[in-house]
Amino acid sequence: MEMQTTLEEPVSTAVARPRRGRKFIQVFLDRKAILVGSLILLVMVVLAVFAPYIAPYSPYQQDLDHTLAPPSWQHLLGTDLFGRDELSRIIFGTRASLMVGVVSVAIAGGVGIALGLMAGYLGGIIDSLIMRIMDALMAIPPIILALSIGSALGGGLKDVMISLGIALIPIYARLMRGQVLSVREADYVIAGELSGSSNLRNMLVHVLPNCVSPLIVLITLNLGVAILAEAALSFLGLGMAPPGAAWGSMINDGYPYMRTNPLLSFAPGVAVMLVVVAFNLVGDALRDALDPKLRGSV
Amino acid sequence: MTTMLLRRLVQAVIVLFIVTVIVFLIMHLIPGDPAQIMLGSTATQEQIDALRHQMGLDKPLVVQYFLWLGNVLHGNLGTSIFYNQPVTQLLAVRLPITLQLGLYSLVVSLILGIPAGIIAAVKRGTFIDSIVIFLSNAGVAIPVFWLAILGVYVFSLKLGWLPVQGWVSPFENFGEGVRYLVMPVLVLATLPLSSFARQTRSSMLEVIRQDYIRTARAKGLKENVVILRHALRNALIPVITLLGISLAGIIGGAVLVEQVFNIPGMGRLLVQAILGKDYILVQGSVLIIGAIVVLINLATDIAYTYVDPRIKG
Amino acid sequence: MSHLLEVKNLKVQFKLDGRTVKAVDGVSFHVDAGEIVAIVGESGSGKSVTQYSILQLIPAPPGEIVEGEVLFEGTDLLKLDPRSQELRDVRGGKIGIIFQEPMTSLNPVMTVGRQLEESLILHLKLSRSQARERAIELLRRVGIPDAEHRVNYYPHQFSGGMRQRIMIAMAMSCEPKILIADEATTALDVTTQAQLLELLRDIVRSTNTALVLVTHNLGVVARFADRIYVMYAGGIVESGTCKDIFANPRHPYTVGLLRAIPRLDDPKDRKLVPIDGLPPDLSQKPTTCAFMPRCVYRTARCAQEPAPPLTPVGPGHEAACYVLPSAEEFSAAANAATAASETSAALAAPVQQKQTGETILEVRNLKMYFPVTKGLLKRKVSDIKAVDDVSFDIRRGETIGLVGESGCGKTTVARAILRMYDPTDGQIVFRGQDIAKLPKKDLRPLRRHMALVFQDSYSSLDPRLTAANIVGEPLKVNRLVASRAEYDRRIDELFELVGLRPELKHRYPHEFSGGQRQRLGIARALASNPDFIVCDEAISALDVSIQAQIINLLEELQAKLGLTYLFIAHDLSVVRHISDRVVVMYLGRVVEIADWKSLYENPKHPYTQALLAAVPIPDPFVEEQRERIIIQGDIPSVMNKPPGCSFSNRCPLATKECTEQVPPLTHVGDGHSVACIKVS
Ligand SMILES: Nc1ncnc2c1ncn2[C@@H]1O[C@H](COP(=O)(O)OP(=O)(O)O)[C@@H](O)[C@H]1O
Ligand code: SF4
Ligand code: SF4
Ligand SMILES: [Mg+2]
């Protein structure tokens, strides 16, 4: 062969490095926090999906002879004002919580990412307009914004999802815009352009995939935020209609019986905290695992 | 630099304008007729029509908006449907209470959160660091209203150290006022405190790796001089960005905390107004809150140019 | 005799991801008062870690000083607590240090004055006002004009060269006994680099301070050092006086380095001899000679015995090698290497008498202005004339070198030619068609005939695509292959063409080394069979031994495929080596164009002369003979060019006429054009 003089560099160092996927998993699992977080989430999802089979009682079944019962073997966490089993209601509450979290983040993410993409890619007056609207949305505290929209829409579970979705849009739009702006200028995107790629292809092949990591992290962390907000809204009386089980409203319902039955308020709060902590743990671990600096570039 | 500030000012005005549009639009999404709501179900159609005309509700939405905006610019936020009192009057009593709560919480979270973040970063990987990480992670995951209830249970009901609920102005009776303030302020400070601690820790860790910190050490400076004089100021830059968002969060949290502690601030008023569809009161209050947040953000931007000389020019 | 500083058997390691990187593995060296000692080696060889360890400045964890002694004025500095008063007195007080990155080594939120005063107050116990006075004096000393005012400036208000001057002032402020300069001039332009090195030498000579010059640039070493230590893979492989090392190198690595770099005084047809392979991974360092896998002199003994110790090979000259080849053996091996590449003599020949064909690219009066906006409404108030009236042409099969210092518009020219920008004015005639104003969509079919090789091989490869997908992108988007099988075949072919094994094609960019990634970038550029390739600082980020590999690859590909290159670089020796003709730019304008020989042997423009004078030659004997005119001052920003000739404020020949009009590029014979009114 003619190319003798360009001897190949030995690849020993490259071989020693784990492949991309493995490295990701390794960094991810290196953090024990992630295991705890994933486990909690798994349990929660199972509880939500199989609630009717797992919960000892129906969440609506009243037992007016045993109202405000203290914890016992029949009712591990006691019963509420109507004699409903607190534990069963918490288990069923997982459903509303997770559903609101997922749906509202999906709305926020979908709309926010699209807006951010548009703002970042098109620039100019459209960019300014979109971003000023986002600034305005951010100027109203999310709880108040969601409360206003939710109540204006009617106040049901569906309205809570929509209103929370709207309140969280600006975060995604901002992040996405920033990402697009930085990635668009990257050498590898320019290289794609110089290869003769169309704008669309460039967007899909180079820009979008490279914007994804921080979005995944944000989505994970935001699920926790949305669940927290849902609890707050239902604490204030918005969301699932009365007999339904939602953690926030359970905390509120239990509040008057603090002196005698503190668990009625505390237990659902612990549930909220567990889910949120779990999402945060997973989110933080994802952040580290997806960080290209940590992905063994040497 | 003046150009930049001027540009930010114009932006702030535009944002505020958009806030008014958003607030107005949300309130007019409400199904049902405000006049009907005000008069109750016993009112006759004539009475309703008369009130609608009086309130300008029979005009097109755009006209209504500009009428409202015109009034707002004249300092007239309208009259609450529920209280039948001018919104400005209602807010004049309640806003100061909420602002106090928010301000005290902000101060508490800054003076506790930033040092906690610094210490955690400097002692990275030690027990102290783990504690700070644990507490700040918990702090961003705890529902505020739940923490408030927990506080009431422990400190008021069980220990009896603090009052269960209510409000006494510290300006009228300082000792009593503080007793009523302690718990709401601490509860409200939890979330911003945790995020300040987290942000300070991570930006401090980032800054400590920078070349200029190595330069400072190579000069022979004491470690605490290196940290406080060289690292801290750089590390605080991203923390400042957080201020605006935290303030919005604190006001949002105040809504919940006032609810639990039964504090007669703007938050409680607002919740009642929203749930009671007193849209004039809501419009007015949300607008004021938006204006406060926008102003704080503007102030943050100005503070920025002082902390980071690179922004000038 | 005891030395001012003596490092004995220093070992430093970093623990990362469960691996232990032995960054410094048994290094010993000494420094005497007033001498200039150079530490030379490629990046990652442990030069910086060695120096930082002396003052315990390495980040710990993950770093750890495992063993060794650092004797300074009778004390072992490693025994001191890093926070102790004693060590802090040495840091900055008795040993000053200048770091590589001028842009990041100063605190951005503190005025330079305060940063200077800090040391003075700390070590010399000056009062605030005394310190201020002294700070201004120091700034003046290192050549900062208008020091009284600038002392209140923040770092971002200075250029890179200025900041490095400030770093020098800071490190020298307390009159240390030793000054360590870690790649202090590497990030700077040649003329600035030359100014700063002279400044450093003058200062240390006048104060009898010892200077430790850490660098990978052999030219710098040849001119300034008294003694040299050569480092490789965490150890010292050779040490001796400057002249010994250059005239009589004994370690195969030292010889390899000298052979791999092009020199300003090379014969043009000299073939660079790269050192094949890569330095070892320091976390899996073999116990045998670390250089063995890349060494052409290795014997059975090298493979069996532990790493060779440093042994004397002459007075004050040591080398760590069992074989210690002699000068004759080295030249014999060099001849053999040349002979080996004689097989590719068929290639080498046309390289020398290159047949250049018709004009492939013609740049006429190219202007690229960027608007400067001001005020609330972002009104355009003026232009940054990044490229101002540039004309040149390129013939098929030749290499045009484009040189100039940073900010002079080289990259902008390249980007305008490739139509990454819309030129403000002028024509770019490519393959007979003016593409300067062509709309983007009409450009797309032309893209396959031109390609770009980027400077930063890492950022130019999409981290989420495999090597095959990256190289194959031009094939796909231009539909250059008919079938999947053809595509795969073509990818393999491209990999082989640039010297990469096709098996590697499923890997991701971060799994390749820097040199390999640059090969990938070249493979991608070649994929669509372009005639014309722009290499924008394509080798600048690579280590010298790897640089030589890539330069040779580019030359071979040109011979084989008849490519035309626009080769942009700031390293004038490399440009001389590879180019047929050279274009010199200064502040957005072309100041001189000529074939390489006339340009380097008979430069006519005062700027070209100054530029060439500033390039160090890796040979102490040549350097001794050279007289140099070092131009003063900094390059002004393109925003405030002086009127008339842009060079007039620094030009030694400047007269009043020079400021009156812009001298046009004038042909002075033999394809040599110059833009200077004093040259005709
Ligand atoms: N802070 C650090 N963390 C981990 N490894 C490091 C660190 N600093 C240096 N190293 C490693 O030490 C080795 C030598 O580095 P260095 O002294 O910077 O080389 P040089 O100055 O010769 O370019 C390299 O392998 C590098 O990866
Ligand atoms: S000891 Fe052997 S392998 Fe090492 S440099 Fe000498 S000859 Fe080469
Ligand atoms: S025109 Fe004048 S200033 Fe410019 S290079 Fe020639 S002599 Fe120097
Ligand atoms: Mg180094």
Side-chain angles (χ1 to χ4, degrees):
Chain A
M1 224 179 69
E2 286 166 315
M3 289 289 138
Q4 293 276 294
T5 44
T6 55
L7 265 188
E8 190 173 306
E9 298 164 26
V11 290
S12 65
T13 51
V15 173
R17 255 175 255 142
R19 301 296 299 270
R20 194 164 100 126
R22 283 222 334 256
K23 181 86 194 172
F24 172 83
I25 294 169
Q26 185 191 325
V27 175
F28 194 76
L29 288 184
D30 264 1
R31 327 202 70 223
K32 307 202 178 41
I34 185 71
L35 272 174
V36 181
S38 318
L39 214 66
I40 299 177
L41 288 182
L42 193 71
V43 171
M44 290 290 175
V45 170
V46 169
L47 285 183
V49 174
F50 300 105
Y53 307 101
I54 296 171
Y57 300 90
S58 149
Y60 310 116
Q61 185 190 324
Q62 303 189 353
D63 180 354
L64 296 175
D65 294 335
H66 296 97
T67 60
L68 296 174
S72 64
W73 284 110
Q74 277 91 44
H75 300 285
L76 281 177
L77 295 174
T79 62
D80 69 2
L81 183 61
F82 301 101
R84 295 174 297 198
D85 180 51
E86 180 78 357
L87 180 62
S88 305
R89 287 181 66 75
I90 289 182
I91 292 175
F92 273 88
T94 318
R95 292 183 153 187
S97 215
L98 290 185
M99 189 155 76
V100 172
V102 171
V103 175
S104 58
V105 167
I107 295 173
V111 179
I113 290 171
L115 287 176
L117 204 61
M118 255 162 70
Y121 204 74
L122 300 176
I125 185 85
I126 295 181
D127 178 25
S128 305
L129 190 69
I130 293 179
M131 291 326 286
R132 290 303 80 73
I133 295 179
M134 294 303 121
D135 287 349
L137 281 176
M138 285 183 98
I140 307 173
I143 280 289
I144 295 177
L145 186 61
L147 193 64
S148 314
I149 300 177
S151 126
L153 290 174
L157 199 59
K158 184 181 93 241
D159 307 317
V160 166
M161 296 185 205
I162 295 173
S163 61
L164 271 180
I166 295 175
L168 295 176
I169 287 173
I171 310 179
Y172 288 89
R174 279 194 167 193
L175 181 78
M176 190 62 196
R177 174 175 178 270
Q179 279 296 108
V180 172
L181 287 185
S182 69
V183 172
R184 207 170 61 143
E185 295 300 311
D187 277 354
Y188 55 82
V189 177
I190 296 174
E193 230 163 87
L194 290 180
S195 302
S197 287
S198 63
N199 272 344
L200 186 66
R201 187 193 140 92
N202 245 341
M203 264 323 253
L204 295 181
V205 176
H206 299 299
V207 179
L208 259 181
N210 280 292
C211 292
V212 170
S213 332
L215 282 171
I216 292 177
V217 175
L218 183 66
I219 286 173
T220 318
L221 295 174
N222 242 230
L223 283 166
V225 172
I227 285 171
L228 217 46
E230 185 273 336
L233 291 180
S234 81
F235 176 75
L236 293 173
L238 219 61
M240 197 169 260
W247 293 339
S249 60
M250 289 169 69
I251 296 176
N252 196 24
D253 295 343
Y255 188 31
Y257 310 103
M258 276 296 281
R259 274 175 211 275
T260 50
N261 301 52
L263 266 183
L264 289 184
S265 270
F266 291 164
V270 171
V272 177
M273 237 170 81
L274 271 181
V275 191
V276 179
V277 165
F279 278 120
N280 286 357
L281 288 179
V282 176
D284 285 345
L286 274 173
R287 191 204 314 271
D288 291 355
L290 292 170
D291 185 346
K293 275 179 281 178
L294 292 172
R295 225 168 38 203
S297 45
V298 182
Chain B
M1 162 143 137
T2 34
T3 324
M4 197 209 76
L5 285 184
L6 221 58
R7 185 172 295 141
R8 302 295 291 126
L9 199 67
V10 171
Q11 262 182 21
V13 172
I14 295 173
V15 169
L16 211 51
F17 172 76
I18 301 176
V19 170
T20 65
V21 176
I22 292 174
V23 170
F24 186 82
L25 282 181
I26 295 174
M27 285 304 115
H28 287 80
L29 280 178
I30 298 180
D33 188 340
Q36 166 92 64
I37 294 166
M38 281 172 73
L39 295 172
S41 50
T42 55
T44 66
Q45 192 58 42
E46 285 80 58
Q47 284 173 308
I48 293 173
D49 285 345
L51 188 61
R52 282 179 61 90
H53 182 74
Q54 187 198 330
M55 292 172 68
L57 290 174
D58 51 353
K59 301 199 175 72
L61 213 54
V62 182
V63 176
Q64 284 187 46
Y65 171 73
F66 281 104
L67 283 177
W68 174 68
L69 191 63
N71 284 333
V72 168
L73 291 178
H74 286 96
N76 175 7
L77 293 176
T79 305
S80 157
I81 301 172
F82 185 76
Y83 291 91
N84 201 16
Q85 264 184 50
V87 172
T88 38
Q89 241 175 53
L90 285 168
L91 290 183
V93 183
R94 325 247 171 163
L95 188 60
I97 295 179
T98 303
L99 284 185
Q100 275 185 65
L101 266 184
L103 194 68
Y104 302 147
S105 307
L106 193 65
V107 171
V108 167
S109 54
L110 285 174
I111 54 182
L112 293 181
I114 291 176
I118 298 173
I119 293 170
V122 172
K123 309 239 177 234
R124 181 184 197 175
T126 62
F127 182 64
I128 299 182
D129 186 25
S130 310
I131 297 273
V132 172
I133 293 177
F134 177 80
L135 287 182
S136 58
N137 277 336
V140 296
I142 296 180
V144 206
F145 53 97
W146 182 77
L147 188 66
I149 293 176
L150 187 72
V152 170
Y153 181 73
V154 175
F155 295 101
S156 311
L157 298 181
K158 289 285 155 190
L159 298 172
W161 292 352
L162 296 168
V164 175
Q165 50 168 244
W167 169 262
V168 170
S169 167
F171 295 107
E172 281 158 21
N173 181 343
F174 185 74
E176 249 336 77
V178 170
R179 267 169 47 80
Y180 278 91
L181 263 176
V182 171
M183 212 143 51
V185 166
L186 287 183
V187 167
L188 200 47
T190 314
L191 179 68
L193 194 161
S194 308
S195 26
F196 287 140
R198 280 163 65 114
Q199 179 65 59
T200 307
R201 176 179 181 273
S202 69
S203 59
M204 201 72 187
L205 286 177
E206 179 71 29
V207 167
I208 286 177
R209 292 196 285 118
Q210 298 299 312
D211 292 347
Y212 54 81
I213 296 301
R214 191 178 54 197
T215 306
R217 292 208 174 103
K219 273 183 194 171
L221 293 173
K222 283 201 181 113
E223 190 60 20
N224 55 6
V225 176
V226 173
I227 296 296
L228 294 179
R229 195 188 295 165
H230 287 266
L232 185 58
R233 208 166 143 200
N234 285 288
L236 283 185
I237 294 172
V239 178
I240 292 179
T241 330
L242 212 58
L243 260 171
I245 300 172
S246 298
L247 192 88
I250 289 180
I251 296 181
V255 170
L256 296 157
V257 169
E258 289 177 11
Q259 198 75 12
V260 174
F261 291 102
N262 206 0
I263 296 172
M266 182 164 76
R268 257 181 83 80
L269 183 75
L270 187 56
V271 172
Q272 286 165 6
I274 291 175
L275 297 179
K277 316 220 169 196
D278 185 347
Y279 76 102
I280 299 204
L281 182 49
V282 177
Q283 265 171 210
S285 321
V286 174
L287 185 60
I288 295 291
I289 292 174
I292 293 173
V293 174
V294 169
L295 282 180
I296 295 285
N297 278 333
L298 191 65
T300 323
D301 283 340
I302 296 170
Y304 231 92
T305 58
Y306 281 98
V307 177
D308 190 348
R310 283 164 295 188
I311 294 178
K312 293 178 197 163
Chain C
M1 186 190 90
S2 84
H3 303 289
L4 176 60
L5 175 78
E6 185 163 13
V7 174
K8 289 185 185 162
N9 195 29
L10 181 69
K11 291 189 179 170
V12 186
Q13 61 190 30
F14 290 89
K15 289 215 172 83
L16 291 169
D17 289 345
R19 299 180 310 148
T20 304
V21 177
K22 294 189 173 166
V24 175
D25 199 11
V27 163
S28 305
F29 72 98
H30 67 264
V31 179
D32 288 322
E35 69 171 343
I36 300 182
V37 173
I39 313 271
V40 199
E42 290 176 272
S43 62
S45 58
K47 308 181 297 287
S48 305
V49 172
T50 303
Q51 302 307 319
Y52 300 164
S53 300
I54 292 174
L55 294 175
Q56 301 192 39
L57 283 173
I58 54 160
E64 185 193 347
I65 298 175
V66 186
E67 63 172 281
E69 282 175 83
V70 174
L71 298 174
F72 176 69
E73 294 185 329
T75 336
D76 182 357
L77 297 184
L78 296 185
K79 292 239 163 63
L80 301 177
D81 184 281
R83 297 186 173 214
S84 65
Q85 182 71 42
E86 291 95 325
L87 186 65
R88 283 192 286 106
D89 282 344
V90 177
R91 288 182 181 175
K94 292 181 179 149
I95 302 182
I97 183 161
I98 306 167
F99 299 104
Q100 170 165 5
E101 278 302 323
M103 302 319 245
T104 54
S105 293
L106 289 166
N107 190 336
V109 302
M110 227 189 230
T111 62
V112 297
R114 275 208 65 196
Q115 297 187 53
L116 270 165
E117 289 158 27
E118 210 173 36
S119 306
L120 296 165
I121 295 173
L122 185 75
H123 294 290
L124 303 185
K125 313 278 180 256
L126 299 187
S127 73
R128 201 71 200 245
S129 58
Q130 286 170 319
R132 160 78 22 150
E133 239 167 71
R134 182 101 173 86
I136 295 173
E137 204 180 297
L138 282 164
L139 287 179
R140 220 178 268 136
R141 170 95 198 264
V142 295
I144 305 274
D146 196 17
E148 300 80 21
H149 286 109
R150 301 239 188 157
V151 73
N152 290 319
Y153 280 19
Y154 288 93
H156 72 275
Q157 292 165 293
F158 294 91
S159 68
M162 287 288 177
R163 285 189 220 187
Q164 209 57 308
R165 284 173 195 269
I166 295 166
M167 278 300 286
I168 293 176
M170 203 142 86
M172 288 301 296
S173 62
C174 303
E175 289 162 5
K177 300 251 167 64
I178 301 178
L179 178 64
I180 299 170
D182 183 14
E183 304 268 13
T185 59
T186 304
L188 307 172
D189 279 318
V190 268
T191 57
T192 321
Q193 185 177 27
Q195 287 172 5
L196 283 194
L197 285 166
E198 296 287 339
L199 172 73
L200 259 180
R201 176 164 64 180
D202 289 350
I203 292 185
V204 295
R205 288 285 192 238
S206 68
T207 53
N208 198 32
T209 309
L211 175 64
V212 180
L213 208 56
V214 178
T215 177
H216 68 275
N217 185 331
L218 285 164
V220 167
V221 169
R223 182 159 172 83
F224 292 96
D226 300 322
R227 286 191 305 116
I228 297 175
Y229 291 92
V230 181
M231 279 191 79
Y232 184 76
I236 287 175
V237 294
E238 184 162 5
S239 72
T241 63
C242 185
K243 287 186 178 164
D244 277 346
I245 295 277
F246 281 96
N248 186 20
R250 298 302 302 280
H251 195 282
Y253 175 65
T254 315
V255 176
L257 274 186
L258 289 170
R259 292 249 174 79
I261 43 172
R263 289 167 51 161
L264 216 46
D265 58 349
D266 268 347
K268 174 73 170 173
D269 58 356
R270 192 193 125 198
K271 197 144 176 63
L272 302 181
V273 186
I275 307 175
D276 290 325
L278 290 174
D281 178 349
L282 292 182
S283 66
Q284 300 166 4
K285 203 175 146 183
T287 52
T288 48
C289 174
F291 189 58
M292 194 178 64
R294 307 174 77 185
C295 183
V296 285
Y297 306 98
R298 63 176 170 237
T299 60
R301 186 176 173 205
C302 309
Q304 283 148 14
E305 297 199 28
L310 277 172
T311 41
V313 292
H317 189 175
E318 295 184 317
C321 173
Y322 288 123
V323 178
L324 289 173
S326 64
E328 296 80 60
E329 283 166 298
F330 280 130
S331 46
N335 290 338
T338 328
S341 64
E342 288 307 85
T343 10
S344 48
L347 294 176
V351 174
Q352 284 156 29
Q353 303 127 29
K354 224 181 273 174
Q355 294 298 312
T356 52
E358 83 282 2
T359 301
I360 186 170
L361 177 82
E362 200 180 332
V363 178
R364 282 284 152 266
N365 310 99
L366 181 67
K367 292 189 178 129
M368 187 67 233
Y369 296 173
F370 298 100
V372 181
T373 60
K374 225 183 137 178
L376 211 51
L377 300 174
K378 305 207 171 160
R379 230 164 3 93
K380 183 181 139 188
V381 288
S382 63
D383 284 308
I384 296 177
K385 301 185 176 178
V387 173
D388 199 8
D389 205 2
V390 162
S391 306
F392 61 91
D393 48 41
I394 306 181
R395 290 187 284 273
R396 191 178 286 281
E398 75 173 342
T399 301
I400 290 269
L402 182 55
V403 294
E405 294 175 277
S406 56
C408 72
K410 306 185 294 289
T411 296
T412 313
V413 167
R415 296 193 162 203
I417 290 175
L418 294 170
R419 282 299 310 279
M420 288 151 71
Y421 296 141
D422 295 328
T424 311
D425 197 17
Q427 287 131 36
I428 300 165
V429 183
F430 179 63
R431 298 171 121 229
Q433 182 182 6
D434 182 4
I435 61 168
K437 299 258 173 329
L438 219 54
K440 285 254 143 98
K441 75 171 177 355
D442 298 339
L443 267 173
R444 217 164 283 146
L446 283 173
R447 290 263 179 240
R448 49 172 293 215
H449 300 297
M450 39 166 73
L452 172 66
V453 180
F454 291 80
Q455 165 166 15
D456 185 345
S457 63
Y458 199 69
S459 70
S460 62
L461 304 177
D462 190 334
R464 293 182 180 271
L465 296 184
T466 61
N469 280 333
I470 290 170
V471 172
E473 180 163 35
L475 297 177
K476 279 190 207 147
V477 300
N478 296 305
R479 301 188 210 298
L480 297 177
V481 283
S483 65
R484 181 77 212 181
E486 192 188 340
Y487 175 78
D488 288 339
R489 196 152 21 83
R490 180 81 179 117
I491 299 268
D492 290 358
E493 200 177 289
L494 286 164
F495 269 65
E496 270 161 18
L497 201 56
V498 298
L500 287 173
R501 273 190 294 134
E503 294 93 278
L504 302 181
K505 68 182 178 184
H506 298 300
R507 295 179 178 227
Y508 289 89
H510 73 270
E511 296 175 88
F512 291 90
S513 73
Q516 288 176 320
R517 279 200 295 265
Q518 203 51 285
R519 286 173 195 262
L520 278 180
I522 295 172
R524 168 175 62 195
L526 293 174
S528 58
N529 266 327
D531 323 280
F532 174 57
I533 296 184
V534 177
C535 303
D536 188 0
E537 300 276 8
I539 55 154
S540 311
L542 303 172
D543 263 317
V544 281
S545 69
I546 311 294
Q547 247 181 28
Q549 295 173 2
I550 300 294
I551 294 173
N552 284 358
L553 173 67
L554 286 171
E555 288 187 327
E556 282 156 18
L557 288 170
Q558 179 169 52
K560 188 171 177 181
L561 306 172
L563 298 170
T564 309
Y565 291 136
L566 175 60
F567 190 89
I568 300 177
H570 64 269
D571 184 330
L572 284 119
S573 312
V574 170
V575 169
R576 177 180 179 277
H577 179 87
I578 201 169
S579 309
D580 301 302
R581 286 191 301 137
V582 180
V583 177
V584 184
M585 282 185 75
Y586 184 75
L587 288 183
R589 295 208 181 96
V590 172
V591 296
E592 187 160 4
I593 301 183
D595 62 88
W596 73 269
K597 201 172 169 64
S598 328
L599 190 101
Y600 281 86
E601 285 170 12
N602 187 16
K604 292 199 186 316
H605 195 282
Y607 175 66
T608 314
Q609 291 168 352
L611 206 55
L612 288 173
V615 179
I617 295 177
D619 187 332
F621 302 95
V622 176
E623 278 291 346
E624 246 173 18
Q625 312 295 317
R626 262 175 112 197
E627 50 165 315
R628 313 224 234 179
I629 337 123
I630 291 187
I631 42 166
Q632 296 306 316
D634 259 11
I635 314 174
S637 92
V638 204
M639 283 287 286
N640 39 34
K641 280 188 227 183
C645 174
S646 328
F647 192 52
S648 58
N649 64 335
R650 301 170 78 196
C651 178
L653 305 181
T655 54
K656 199 170 149 290
E657 299 155 76
C658 301
T659 58
E660 280 157 10
Q661 56 150 333
V662 179
L665 192 64
T666 317
H667 191 236
V668 293
D670 256 355
H672 197 147
S673 302
V674 184
C676 170
I677 51 171
K678 299 285 164 68
V679 179
S680 52

